[in-house]
């Protein structure tokens, strides 16, 4: 009996000892793996930060030279005017600069009517007038003579993608007299980017300070002009500092990357250099696999048990999260759906009633949307709704405000603790913001996509338990806005 007890005790002691030794060895190896990974990431961070800084300096140099050329041409014109002889002189001057700045695609001087006064390359593949170009419209409407970096466009010289740098010309009296524009070939930037070793899944980008993508390597046409103002880089990181390191999953190819960013202090352009985390950590991963094999030898039983438990809990968590998202989110716009709206309006009215505070509701409807769908197609209609959903989300002024897709092309905004004056101001802002999106709608009398807004407001205590009153009132207001000509708002009290 005593021998049996001794054997059991020895077994228990040995088992405990083995477990403790296994845990110590596993912990030591795990610390080594973690330390090695951190060192690898630090090296990656340093490398991409150096590259982003170098490319930022390179880009600033090109733009600064272009700015100097633009300034020289502008000053010459403003001193000597637009005479035939000056057209010849300027053309000769910019021809000499063409050899110094190889990135130049063309240099064009437009007069106040958008006609070409002179140009480096005069053989145009497209229209000869520039009055329809965004940079021309910008300078015509803005008196600033600062350099303007426009969105990427297709060159009318050779049909290639270019970046536009331009400046307003003025007469001696300060009147608009035309535009000087330098176009830089995007393919020249791509040629340089292609020489940098950032791995097979690496990305280099150049965006404006407003978040418009100018250049992305590897290049694809549909990437150009994409707006990133809603990305964490612009919403979060750049608001804190002009340079830094971050990580995110690309919206284009869903690859997770570490990226360094640097905002140019002179021109506001943001240079980013990103490398795939998976690809960059490949050498570390090989070493980690070897160490992990040792851990598996010592702690196989514990790992298997933990994996089963973790896998089960993770699966349940993922399923619950997925179900929750599906149940609450509109798949097209990412906004709350109608079911969540019905829940939110009840809870927000109740909360405002407790504080004896007002509550307001906006119903937003897209004008002439059936014509948009019928003529542009349902995929474009869906894209339009997604853009408008994002526009409404960005128009919110408080964290407690709620925006939901109410149904079809109609959206609803719940505004807790908001009186009628503030609600009307937000309605006006939404109408302006949607109009400024400049979504083409040739089948609307406004020429672009617009919205009508119905506004209603009430003391929450007066409508507690009868929230349909404020919904009906906002719906009546929306009807009045539609009947009044659309692209406007109307108010009906609840």
């Amino acid at each position: 009996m005593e021998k049996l007890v001794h054997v059991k005790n020895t077994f228990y002691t040995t088992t405990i000892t083995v477990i403790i030794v296994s845990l110590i060895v596993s912990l030591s190896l795990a610390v080594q793996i973690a330390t090695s990974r951190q060192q690898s990431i630090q090296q990656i961070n340093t490398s991409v930060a150096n590259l982003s800084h170098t490319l930022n300096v390179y880009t600033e140099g090109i733009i600064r030279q272009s700015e100097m050329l633009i300034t020289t041409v502008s000053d010459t014109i403003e001193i000597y005017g637009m005479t035939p002889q000056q057209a010849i002189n300027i053309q000769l001057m910019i021809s000499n600069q063409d050899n110094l700045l190889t990135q130049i695609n063309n240099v064009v001087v437009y007069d106040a009517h958008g006609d070409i006064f002179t140009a480096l390359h005069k053989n145009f593949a497209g229209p000869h007038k520039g009055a329809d170009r965004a940079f021309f419209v910008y300078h015509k409407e803005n008196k600033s003579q600062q350099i303007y970096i426009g969105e990427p466009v297709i060159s009318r010289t050779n049909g290639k993608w270019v970046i536009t740098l331009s400046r307003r010309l003025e007469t001696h009296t300060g009147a608009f007299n035309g535009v000087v524009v330098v176009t830089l070939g995007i393919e020249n930037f791509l040629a340089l980017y292609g020489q940098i070793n950032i791995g097979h899944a690496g990305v280099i980008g150049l965006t404006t300070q407003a978040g418009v993508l100018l250049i992305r390597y590897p290049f694809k046409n549909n990437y150009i002009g994409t707006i990133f103002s809603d990305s964490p880089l612009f919403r979060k990181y750049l608001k804190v500092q002009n340079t830094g390191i971050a990580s995110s999953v690309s919206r284009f190819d869903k690859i997770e990357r570490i990226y360094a960013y640097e905002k140019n202090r002179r021109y506001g352009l943001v240079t980013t250099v990103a490398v795939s985390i998976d690809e960059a950590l490949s050498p570390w991963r090989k070493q980690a696999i070897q160490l992990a094999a040792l851990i598996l030898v010592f702690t196989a039983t514990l790992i298997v048990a933990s994996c089963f438990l973790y896998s089960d809990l993770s699966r349940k968590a993922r399923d619950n999260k997925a179900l929750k998202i599906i149940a609450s989110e509109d798949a097209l716009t990412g906004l709350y759906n109608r079911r969540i709206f019905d829940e939110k309006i009840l809870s927000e009215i109740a909360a405002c009633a407790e504080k004896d505070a007002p509550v307001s509701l906006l119903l937003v409807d897209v004008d002439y949307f059936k014509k948009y769908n019928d003529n542009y197609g349902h995929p474009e209609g869906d894209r339009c709704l997604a853009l408008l959903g994002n526009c409404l989300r960005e128009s919110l002024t408080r964290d407690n405000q709620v925006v939901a897709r109410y149904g079809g092309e109609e959206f609803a905004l719940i505004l807790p603790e908001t009186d009628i004056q503030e609600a009307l101001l937000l309605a006006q802002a939404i109408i302006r913001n949607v109009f400024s999106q400049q979504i083409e709608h040739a089948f609307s009398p406004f020429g672009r996509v617009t919205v009508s807004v119905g506004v209603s407001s009430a003391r929450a205590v007066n409508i507690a338990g009868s929230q349909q009153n404020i919904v009906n009132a906002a719906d009546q207001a929306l009807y009045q806005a539609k009947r009044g000509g659309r692209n406007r708002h109307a108010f009906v009290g609840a």
Side-chain angles (χ1 to χ4, degrees):
M1 185 68 179
E2 291 180 0
K3 186 175 181 180
L4 180 60
V5 172
H6 177 71
V7 170
K8 287 184 177 180
N9 290 338
T10 302
F11 174 76
Y12 291 146
T13 302
T14 303
T15 302
I16 292 172
T17 302
V18 170
I19 291 174
I20 292 174
V21 171
S22 297
L23 289 174
I24 292 174
V25 173
S26 298
L27 182 60
S28 299
L29 293 176
V31 169
Q32 183 177 348
I33 290 174
T35 302
S36 176
R37 185 180 189 277
Q38 189 60 39
Q39 291 173 346
S40 297
I41 290 178
Q42 187 60 45
Q43 292 174 355
I44 295 169
N45 290 347
T46 301
S47 177
V48 293
N50 290 339
L51 283 174
S52 68
H53 176 71
T54 301
L55 292 177
N56 172 61
V57 172
Y58 168 79
T59 302
E60 179 178 339
I62 293 174
I63 295 180
R64 183 170 290 193
Q65 290 181 43
S66 301
E67 182 181 14
M68 291 172 60
L69 176 58
I70 290 173
T71 301
T72 302
V73 174
S74 301
D75 292 345
T76 301
I77 291 175
E78 291 180 1
I79 293 173
Y80 298 105
M82 288 188 177
T83 66
Q85 182 58 45
Q86 284 306 314
I88 297 172
N89 294 340
I90 291 172
Q91 207 277 337
L92 179 61
M93 177 176 63
I94 58 182
S95 295
N96 293 334
Q97 291 294 323
D98 188 33
N99 296 326
L100 299 177
L101 190 60
T102 58
Q103 291 82 5
I104 288 181
N105 177 76
N106 203 354
V107 182
V108 184
V109 179
Y110 293 99
D111 63 20
H113 303 290
D115 295 320
I116 296 176
F117 171 66
T118 189
L120 174 62
H121 303 297
K122 296 185 177 181
N123 294 324
F124 279 62
H128 281 60
K129 292 182 71 67
D132 61 324
R133 288 298 208 185
F135 61 82
F136 189 91
V137 175
Y138 173 84
H139 288 301
K140 190 173 183 179
E141 296 177 351
N142 293 270
K143 290 186 174 297
S144 171
Q145 286 190 289
Q146 296 296 316
I147 193 79
Y148 173 69
I149 303 175
E151 298 181 6
V153 295
I154 297 294
S155 169
R156 290 174 176 172
T157 304
N158 53 22
K160 297 181 179 180
W161 280 101
V162 293
I163 301 172
T164 62
L165 311 176
S166 55
R167 185 186 182 205
R168 173 187 171 100
L169 293 174
E170 291 185 349
T171 64
H172 294 297
T173 62
F176 177 68
N177 197 34
V179 174
V180 179
V181 59
V182 169
T183 58
L184 302 176
I186 286 180
E187 65 178 14
N188 292 308
F189 287 87
L190 295 174
L192 172 66
Y193 293 170
Q195 298 175 22
I196 299 173
N197 182 16
I198 52 174
H200 296 294
V203 171
I204 299 174
L206 182 66
T207 59
T208 68
Q209 59 185 347
V212 178
L213 181 63
L214 299 178
I215 305 171
R216 185 185 188 272
Y217 175 86
F219 177 81
K220 283 189 178 179
N221 283 338
N222 57 322
Y223 293 163
I224 300 301
T226 302
I227 299 175
F228 285 90
S229 57
D230 61 338
S231 68
L233 175 61
F234 287 88
R235 286 190 294 104
K236 179 179 178 182
Y237 301 124
L238 284 173
K239 290 184 177 181
V240 178
Q241 56 186 13
N242 287 334
T243 61
I245 305 290
S247 64
S248 68
V249 177
S250 168
R251 66 175 63 184
F252 293 120
D253 52 25
K254 309 305 179 185
I255 294 176
E256 185 178 9
R257 295 182 175 90
I258 295 175
Y259 65 91
Y261 62 90
E262 181 163 346
K263 182 178 180 180
N264 187 270
R265 296 182 183 276
R266 183 180 181 90
Y267 300 105
L269 297 179
V270 181
T271 301
T272 55
V273 177
V275 294
S276 163
I277 293 179
D278 183 69
E279 193 173 51
L281 291 178
S282 179
W284 165 84
R285 191 175 297 104
K286 292 179 181 179
Q287 180 186 22
I289 290 173
Q290 296 173 352
L291 296 176
L294 296 176
I295 295 177
L296 289 173
V297 171
F298 286 101
T299 59
T301 303
L302 293 176
I303 291 177
V304 169
S306 298
C307 285
F308 275 120
L309 179 60
Y310 178 79
S311 177
D312 186 55
L313 293 176
S314 297
R315 180 183 56 79
K316 290 179 180 178
R318 287 195 301 270
D319 291 345
N320 290 337
K321 183 177 181 181
L323 288 173
K324 186 176 180 180
I325 292 174
I326 291 172
S328 64
E329 188 177 280
D330 175 61
L332 177 61
T333 63
L335 303 176
Y336 286 127
N337 58 23
R338 176 65 178 272
R339 185 182 69 82
I340 297 301
F341 167 82
D342 292 337
E343 294 177 0
K344 288 283 186 181
I345 195 168
L346 282 172
S347 62
E348 295 298 342
I349 290 175
C352 289
E354 290 182 2
K355 303 175 183 178
D356 195 19
V359 62
S360 297
L361 178 69
L362 306 183
L363 287 183
V364 181
D365 189 79
V366 185
D367 298 327
Y368 303 105
F369 189 70
K370 185 178 185 304
K371 291 183 178 181
Y372 190 95
N373 258 344
D374 291 344
N375 290 279
Y376 292 101
H378 288 281
E380 280 300 309
D382 288 347
R383 189 185 72 86
C384 176
L385 291 177
L387 289 173
L388 294 181
N390 186 59
C391 181
L392 292 178
R393 186 188 294 109
E394 293 182 347
S395 297
L396 298 180
T397 58
R398 295 187 191 176
D399 292 338
N400 64 347
Q401 294 173 344
V402 176
V403 58
R405 187 179 180 191
Y406 195 68
E409 66 271 22
E410 196 169 10
F411 302 86
L413 288 82
I414 305 171
L415 312 178
E417 302 178 45
T418 302
D419 58 21
I420 181 56
Q421 288 81 11
E422 188 177 349
L424 290 173
L425 288 175
L426 181 57
Q428 294 167 3
I430 287 172
I431 292 171
R432 289 195 304 270
N433 293 344
V434 170
F435 194 79
S436 68
Q437 295 292 307
Q438 298 187 3
I439 304 173
E440 181 184 357
H441 188 350
F443 305 92
S444 164
F446 304 104
R448 63 182 69 175
V449 172
T450 59
V451 294
S452 299
V453 184
V455 185
S456 186
S457 184
R459 286 184 60 203
V461 294
N462 294 337
I463 59 172
S466 56
Q467 75 281 357
Q468 196 59 37
N469 290 349
I470 195 170
V471 175
N472 291 340
D475 192 57
Q476 292 175 23
L478 178 61
Y479 177 75
Q480 291 182 13
K482 290 284 189 180
R483 188 174 55 186
R486 295 178 170 84
N487 193 28
R488 64 188 64 207
H489 68 278
F491 167 74
V492 172

